[in-house]
Amino acid sequence: MSGIFLTGVSKRFGDVVAVDALDLSLRGGESLVVLGPSGSGKSTLLRIIAGLETPDAGEIRIGGVLQNGLPPHRRDVAIVFQHFALYPHLSALDNITLGLRHGLRLGRQEAARRAAEVAERLAITELLHRLPRQMSGGQRQRVALARALARQAGVVLLDEPLSGLDAQLRLTLRAEIAGVLRGTGATTVHVTHDQNDAMAMADRIAVIREGRLEQLGSPDDLYRQPDSLFVAGFIGSPP
Ligand code: ADP
Ligand code: MG
């Protein structure tokens, strides 16, 4: 299984330190939620793990293998972006298979077979020939999730996958995502600013603030024993 080890990972944009000397380790199959306010470096952290952003310092290891310098398609990582990031002119099927064919270099048949299999799991088989604009927000997010899962990666990264969806749909999708991910056995890093999503979905929660790790622990630990007022306020612990 693919454990993730980050040591001293930093990234700045001009004067802004987005990720600041971050150390994190996840055991294989673990589900970590990174919780922090807007601008705390969550997306940057995921993009660094995915290879979409180059860190200024630090090491990223997955399953013991150093990832620094490897392009995204050479990493055993799939990412679900915050705003779905589906290609508007491609059907759901083509959105799912594009990266399989061009990134993973699978043949047309194998890519289609994997797409059909994940579509079945996420109950989107009926949607495979629709364009993104012909789908609801929840349907688009399922397609984005299917695209990530079809890679069959050992690590799945989710960037605020429930943001922008209404409250009812959030609850439904939260349970669906948790169930589907558990079934894959993948190691997952899910970033969010929503403490309810974090409490519901995490094995452990890492609270970050301005790119630094503020506290790491089980949802229960963080709720009962917050190390700081920032964590208490953010998690909603009783005073
Ligand atoms: P979050 O996902 O937690 O909202 P981000 O990782 O998107 O936070 O951003 C962290 C900080 O880095 C913010 O101050 C943001 O403005 C800055 N930042 C992120 N990406 C870029 C970029 N490509 N260029 C300049 N600044 C950026
Ligand atoms: Mg973000």
Side-chain angles (χ1 to χ4, degrees):
M1 289 229 257
S2 312
I4 305 175
F5 300 92
L6 305 182
T7 44
V9 172
S10 295
K11 177 74 183 179
R12 61 160 64 230
F13 298 102
D15 291 342
V16 176
V17 181
V19 176
D20 193 0
L22 205 64
D23 297 327
L24 264 183
S25 47
L26 283 80
R27 48 180 200 287
E30 184 178 15
S31 169
L32 179 78
V33 170
V34 177
L35 177 66
S38 178
S40 57
K42 303 182 298 297
S43 295
T44 303
L45 174 64
L46 287 195
R47 293 172 58 80
I48 288 172
I49 298 171
L52 299 167
E53 204 80 74
T54 308
D56 299 326
E59 287 187 355
I60 299 105
R61 287 175 192 275
I62 295 176
V65 179
L66 189 66
Q67 304 292 299
N68 298 60
L70 287 182
H73 68 272
R74 299 272 311 280
R75 302 187 183 200
D76 186 22
V77 172
I79 182 165
V80 180
F81 294 99
Q82 180 167 5
H83 298 292
F84 320 140
L86 298 174
Y87 292 101
H89 60 291
L90 295 181
S91 68
L93 177 65
D94 290 342
N95 266 287
I96 295 169
T97 55
L98 187 73
L100 300 179
R101 302 208 49 215
H102 298 283
L104 297 188
R105 306 240 160 241
L106 299 183
R108 184 187 297 274
Q109 271 193 334
E110 171 61 9
R113 195 193 61 72
R114 282 204 195 179
E117 193 245 325
V118 287
E120 179 86 38
R121 261 194 283 157
L122 285 157
I124 54 164
T125 303
E126 315 301 306
L127 306 177
L128 284 176
H129 296 288
R130 287 199 205 163
L131 294 172
R133 67 165 180 275
Q134 299 167 319
M135 296 179 230
S136 69
Q139 290 171 334
R140 275 181 225 143
Q141 190 52 296
R142 286 189 183 88
V143 173
L145 191 61
R147 175 173 61 183
L149 294 181
R151 293 182 69 88
Q152 300 181 355
V155 171
V156 177
L157 308 175
L158 302 120
D159 194 350
E160 313 232 14
L162 302 172
S163 75
L165 303 176
D166 68 53
Q168 186 57 48
L169 189 56
R170 280 184 93 91
L171 288 181
T172 311
L173 260 183
R174 192 198 270 170
E176 275 182 33
I177 290 176
V180 172
L181 286 173
R182 213 173 292 124
T184 66
T187 309
T188 65
V189 185
H190 169 182
V191 311
T192 180
H193 66 269
D194 186 298
Q195 62 277 40
N196 296 316
D197 290 342
M199 296 301 270
M201 297 179 78
D203 292 333
R204 288 190 303 161
I205 298 175
V207 179
I208 64 165
R209 177 188 196 180
E210 295 175 2
R212 301 185 74 95
L213 188 62
E214 187 84 6
Q215 190 173 354
L216 176 66
S218 69
D220 207 52
D221 287 345
L222 264 62
Y223 184 76
R224 287 172 199 279
Q225 293 175 316
D227 284 348
S228 62
L229 281 174
F230 178 79
V231 172
F234 208 58
I235 296 274
S237 304

